[in-house]
Amino acid sequence: MTPLIKKKSIEAQAFAGDARPRYSPRFAPVTFSEQGGVRYLHFGTEWVQGAMRLSKPERIELEYAQQMMAWLLFLQSPRHVVQLGLGAAALTKFCHRYLPSTRVSAVELNPAVVVAARSMFGLPDDDRRLQVLEMDAWDYVADPARHASADVLQIDLYDATARGPVLDTPAFYKACRAVLRAPGVLSVNLFGDHDSFPKNIRRLRAAFDGRVLVFPEVHEGNVVALAFNGPPLQVGWSQLEQRARGLMQSTGLPALRWVKGLKAANAFASDLCEV
């Protein structure tokens, strides 16, 4: 989710259905726009819920979404990556393509978003490594059968108002940690300009014993946070820079910029990143 100036919608697709009480009574319409060679996903407002550059459909277009992949600096060979909130499927597609040994699951409540991801944003059909589940993200993480089942959780859960995550309770973050293996990493898109931000950071830190890193704010308020499960991690910034250079070559992601941003935003006093 990121805000953008209003643009004329070129195509719209709506789904009306009943949602759980913690969400809006009905799903917002799924709409699209295009500008400068980029296709955008909206939920009936000017707020951008995802994007894809038409000439590079497998790349991650938005900066905050690129940062959601920064767990790659710390965890190199995940067995299972789970995306909560499909959006335009940029992260799901990227993981499916660039992590050939990894199983990728995406959890999305609104069936129209799944249809949009496949018809407008190039999400492939399910296969032996890719599974899209039409279900509530809370139900997914609260299921004891999924405890310690994922190496990575990527969370981008916003509704049409796009002012703060729709799931952000202490119980939700604790359940997310329970889903992670050890070691495991959570990445989450928060909204720094909203009063939900300090609350989310407090709850993340409580759920993950203070082991949380944040990025500098990008776009119009997006702040990505990383939270860590498992043994304490101590790694030199020079090692992270070396890892970032490899990621830039293999994936095209701006990983060196991630290292610089994490070091600046988290005020480390030594040559070590400790979480």
Side-chain angles (χ1 to χ4, degrees):
M1 177 285 308
T2 185
L4 199 71
I5 58 172
K6 291 183 179 180
K7 303 184 290 297
K8 183 179 180 181
S9 178
I10 61 165
E11 185 173 346
Q13 195 172 11
F15 178 89
D18 293 331
R20 299 294 180 93
R22 53 185 168 271
Y23 295 96
S24 302
R26 300 174 72 84
F27 291 122
V30 174
T31 54
F32 314 98
S33 63
E34 285 184 16
Q35 181 173 292
V38 178
R39 178 173 295 159
Y40 296 96
L41 173 71
H42 309 269
F43 293 161
T45 72
E46 76 274 18
W47 294 95
V48 171
Q49 304 285 350
M52 178 185 71
R53 185 164 295 277
L54 298 176
S55 62
K56 299 177 180 179
E58 298 299 330
R59 296 289 183 173
I60 302 175
E61 176 67 19
L62 299 176
E63 186 177 6
Y64 90 85
Q66 294 171 353
Q67 291 176 350
M68 294 277 287
M69 294 293 302
W71 55 265
L72 283 166
L73 292 170
F74 305 94
L75 191 65
Q76 299 186 24
S77 301
R79 287 168 287 175
H80 187 200
V81 173
V82 176
Q83 175 71 34
L84 302 183
L86 180 63
L91 292 168
T92 302
K93 288 192 304 180
F94 192 90
C95 290
H96 184 250
R97 174 168 180 174
Y98 286 94
L99 303 173
S101 299
T102 300
R103 187 162 59 92
V104 183
S105 300
V107 179
E108 173 57 51
L109 183 63
N110 187 345
V113 174
V114 179
V115 171
R118 289 202 153 120
S119 63
M120 299 293 286
F121 294 96
L123 177 67
D125 292 335
D126 285 5
D127 58 27
R128 63 180 181 83
R129 292 194 303 109
L130 174 64
Q131 181 183 38
V132 178
L133 301 170
E134 292 182 10
M135 65 182 299
D136 193 303
W138 167 252
D139 293 336
Y140 185 93
V141 299
D143 185 352
R146 292 191 170 94
H147 285 185
S149 65
D151 304 283
V152 178
L153 268 178
Q154 300 177 145
I155 306 173
D156 196 3
L157 295 167
Y158 283 78
D159 60 14
T161 63
R163 299 302 295 177
V166 295
L167 287 175
D168 62 1
T169 64
F172 174 70
Y173 288 126
K174 289 177 182 177
C176 287
R177 183 173 184 179
V179 169
L180 289 173
R181 295 187 177 112
V185 187
L186 173 150
S187 64
V188 59
N189 174 35
L190 303 174
F191 202 60
D193 288 344
H194 192 253
D195 58 12
S196 66
F197 179 73
K199 173 185 67 176
N200 275 279
I201 291 298
R202 286 195 305 269
R203 291 173 177 178
L204 268 174
R205 286 177 174 155
F208 285 84
D209 300 325
R211 301 178 61 199
V212 176
L213 300 176
V214 296
F215 277 95
E217 182 178 305
V218 296
H219 301 303
E220 298 295 332
N222 297 86
V223 177
V224 170
L226 303 176
F228 296 81
N229 187 49
L233 177 65
Q234 190 178 74
V235 60
W237 289 106
S238 60
Q239 291 174 270
L240 290 178
E241 289 173 355
Q242 183 177 5
R243 172 67 178 157
R245 291 186 181 94
L247 286 171
M248 290 177 68
Q249 291 181 349
S250 61
T251 68
L253 291 168
L256 273 174
R257 196 186 309 162
W258 299 344
V259 177
K260 182 179 179 180
L262 288 173
K263 191 172 184 179
N266 296 278
F268 285 94
S270 72
D271 292 331
L272 294 175
C273 175
E274 300 179 87
V275 283

